[in-house]
Amino acid sequence: MNHTFHPLTQDQAEQIAFEWRYEGEYAFYNMDADEEDLASFLDAKERGETTFAILESGELIGFVTLQFESTDTVSIGLGMRPDLTGHGNGNRFLTSILNWIEATYGTRTVRLAVATFNKRAIRLYESLDFIPEETFVQETNGGVYPFLSMKRLQKPPPNI
């Protein structure tokens, strides 16, 4: 099945913010874990036209937020519905995002940041050719946490 991408609606933002609950250490990613992040995510003006719902068969399965650094480089933030995580869905989910970004924007470099405790996500990113750049600390969720920035250079199309 193919994923489709549409601007995130207010109803979808509220569904993600208030209904998506991650378990255990991944509760770190619950939207209400950080009041500022929650307020930003729920504010349609702040989301602008850079946060997209990811649908499969019309059902909300994830989201991606884009922040363009240049015409070639975009930083992304993403989330997959909690009941879909940890079951081998990440590769197809992230590949779909990367393919959509390339097809829609022609972007060559994709960057992201991941909490360093999230070894599961880091393994996924590395399996899709993201390389570590640097570790940094960020204030969020009422504390200061280490994050790893990673980047992936899109492969240019083959010459025919």
Side-chain angles (χ1 to χ4, degrees):
M1 295 189 180
N2 289 334
H3 296 145
T4 57
F5 295 77
H6 304 280
L8 191 73
T9 67
Q10 188 63 32
D11 283 346
Q12 290 167 331
E14 290 175 13
Q15 180 182 350
I16 292 165
F18 300 121
E19 296 176 24
W20 287 18
R21 310 307 295 167
Y22 298 93
E23 298 292 325
E25 67 184 343
Y26 299 105
F28 179 86
Y29 294 108
N30 291 339
M31 282 290 173
D32 60 0
D34 186 284
E35 288 181 24
E36 286 181 37
D37 289 346
L38 175 63
S40 254
F41 193 75
L42 291 175
D43 186 322
K45 278 188 177 178
E46 288 221 25
R47 281 194 319 270
E49 298 179 12
T50 60
T51 301
F52 296 87
I54 303 171
L55 306 176
E56 183 172 89
S57 301
E59 190 177 328
L60 180 64
I61 64 156
F63 69 91
V64 62
T65 299
L66 310 177
Q67 183 178 0
F68 291 92
E69 297 176 17
S70 70
T71 56
D72 288 10
T73 303
V74 63
S75 290
I76 64 171
L78 62 136
M80 187 183 335
R81 202 174 67 212
D83 62 306
L84 301 174
T85 63
H87 302 290
N89 297 311
N91 188 290
R92 190 169 69 93
F93 180 74
L94 184 54
T95 297
S96 176
I97 292 170
L98 296 171
N99 290 341
W100 174 76
I101 290 171
E102 174 65 22
T104 306
Y105 301 102
T107 303
R108 289 277 166 234
T109 302
V110 177
R111 285 196 158 95
L112 55 78
V114 58
T116 58
F117 79 83
N118 194 346
K119 303 300 184 204
R120 182 172 72 187
I122 293 169
R123 280 192 306 273
L124 169 66
Y125 301 147
E126 289 175 338
S127 78
L128 289 171
D129 300 325
F130 279 84
I131 55 171
E133 288 188 294
E134 65 179 341
T135 302
F136 63 95
V137 294
Q138 181 172 320
E139 189 173 332
T140 187
N141 299 9
V144 178
Y145 299 92
F147 283 79
L148 175 64
S149 65
M150 302 181 81
K151 77 174 176 180
R152 178 180 191 260
L153 302 173
Q154 299 276 58
K155 295 167 182 65
N159 292 332
I160 298 177

